[in-house]
Amino acid sequence: MRPDAPYADPDIPENEARPTSECCLHLAIPGSMQAVRGALAQVVRTLALQGVADEQRGTVELVLAEVMNNISKHAYAGACGRIELDIARDGDDLSFSVVDDGRPMPCGVLPRGCAAELDCAVEDLPEGGFGWRLIRELTRDLVYLRIGERNHLAFRIPARA
Amino acid sequence: MKLTSEHRDDGLIVRVEASRIDAAAAVQFKDSMRRIVDGAPARVVLDLSQVDFMDSSGLGAIVGVMKLVCAKRRLELAGLTANVRKVFRITRIDTVITIHSTASEAFDGLKHAS
């Protein structure tokens, strides 16, 4: 995608572009971990072209990996499904929208992502539960909505240090 | 995922010859590590200097390997890139595992210390 012509992407009709933000990327992928890998590579390439620095690209890649692999593992739980990702540049931030048709979050709310209990013997250390900790630490304005049969997750990540 | 190993003094350096330990690679990584550490010396230093991306699944696999070896051996890490270091710092796993700047330093440092 050319950074100087963000509306030229045929996947994004002009009437969907919000006037205060610049459309950056729209992807619809199968909800499999391999497809997530491919999508992450595309996101990182696109952000590099748009001048987003290494560190922020690394943060975006990590957060999107956590979010989309969670959808693959838990919302779809191995079944087929689609993940839609929209990234927009909004001032100094990147804003993200991730939508899927999978199962809702347990109890309809996001996991709290508390710091793991590490004051224990090595054999009792947790091997999971780190994902939401990372997502919550690295994003702002994290919002989850269940609308009809779809999960909507929105958040922001600074585009600059 | 390719892992190579090199014996050094009282220990073993295991190098991850891949750029990602992610959700798609975590299970294979843990299985390969299980085979390598079986019969390894008391100290295993995992060199992550080629890994520029690790997610929570990759982190979980490393904690899994720590637990796997903890009865007889000790797992240490070396060569964390900036992105990988961030994952260890936020989750505070960097407080429960020894991290060296490079794999060589992991062994040289020990010599100087003794």
Side-chain angles (χ1 to χ4, degrees):
Chain A
M1 183 188 292
R2 290 169 300 167
D4 57 338
Y7 300 137
D9 189 327
D11 289 336
I12 308 171
E14 265 191 69
N15 58 9
E16 277 186 20
R18 286 177 290 163
T20 54
S21 65
E22 197 179 322
C23 270
C24 183
L25 185 65
H26 170 83
L27 286 178
I29 62 159
S32 72
M33 286 191 283
Q34 283 303 334
V36 167
R37 232 188 208 191
L40 293 175
Q42 195 174 342
V43 167
V44 168
R45 274 199 307 274
T46 303
L47 295 182
L49 284 174
Q50 303 211 351
V52 177
D54 270 0
E55 188 190 341
Q56 282 70 37
R57 289 204 307 271
T59 299
V60 168
E61 184 175 14
L62 177 57
V63 169
L64 286 179
E66 299 301 336
V67 165
M68 296 197 289
N69 284 324
N70 273 338
I71 292 171
S72 173
K73 279 193 262 183
H74 303 297
Y76 289 130
C80 295
R82 205 166 95 121
I83 302 175
E84 286 178 43
L85 167 67
D86 281 279
I87 307 178
R89 184 76 182 243
D90 193 353
D92 284 344
D93 283 347
L94 292 163
S95 72
F96 297 81
S97 157
V98 187
V99 178
D100 67 81
D101 303 298
R103 297 196 302 222
M105 287 283 169
C107 307
V109 293
L110 293 179
R112 288 173 61 195
C114 297
E117 179 55 63
L118 303 177
D119 190 13
C120 58
V122 173
E123 51 266 43
D124 296 326
L125 285 173
E127 290 179 52
F130 302 120
W132 283 102
R133 177 82 193 144
L134 292 167
I135 295 168
R136 288 196 178 273
E137 181 75 20
L138 295 170
T139 63
R140 294 202 317 254
D141 302 338
L142 182 67
V143 176
Y144 167 70
L145 291 172
R146 178 77 176 177
I147 303 174
E149 298 294 303
R150 313 194 86 191
N151 296 308
H152 294 250
L153 190 72
F155 52 88
R156 301 164 80 84
I157 294 175
R160 294 188 188 143
Chain B
M1 178 182 295
K2 191 177 168 199
L3 303 174
T4 57
S5 54
E6 178 195 333
H7 283 273
R8 191 74 84 81
D9 300 335
D10 63 333
L12 184 73
I13 297 176
V14 181
R15 288 198 180 82
V16 179
E17 311 264 359
S19 63
R20 306 176 73 84
I21 308 180
D22 60 9
V27 173
Q28 197 208 343
F29 166 76
K30 197 174 162 184
D31 285 349
S32 304
M33 281 299 289
R34 182 181 288 128
R35 279 196 297 276
I36 287 177
V37 298
D38 189 30
R43 204 166 161 235
V44 178
V45 175
L46 183 63
D47 182 347
L48 294 172
S49 56
Q50 291 180 55
V51 178
D52 58 30
F53 182 82
M54 181 188 292
D55 61 15
S56 65
S57 303
L59 179 72
I62 287 190
V63 174
V65 175
M66 267 175 84
K67 292 163 73 167
L68 201 71
V69 305
C70 72
K72 293 181 188 161
R73 301 179 184 88
R74 193 156 50 114
L75 182 72
E76 300 172 14
L77 304 179
L80 272 58
T81 59
N83 281 332
V84 172
R85 208 178 312 126
K86 185 160 59 184
V87 172
F88 278 86
R89 178 177 52 78
I90 293 172
T91 58
R92 297 178 48 243
I93 295 295
D94 61 354
T95 64
V96 294
I97 189 162
T98 304
I99 299 175
H100 305 276
S101 33
T102 65
S104 298
E105 198 189 281
F107 289 94
D108 295 345
L110 196 76
K111 268 185 202 159
H112 295 315
S114 58

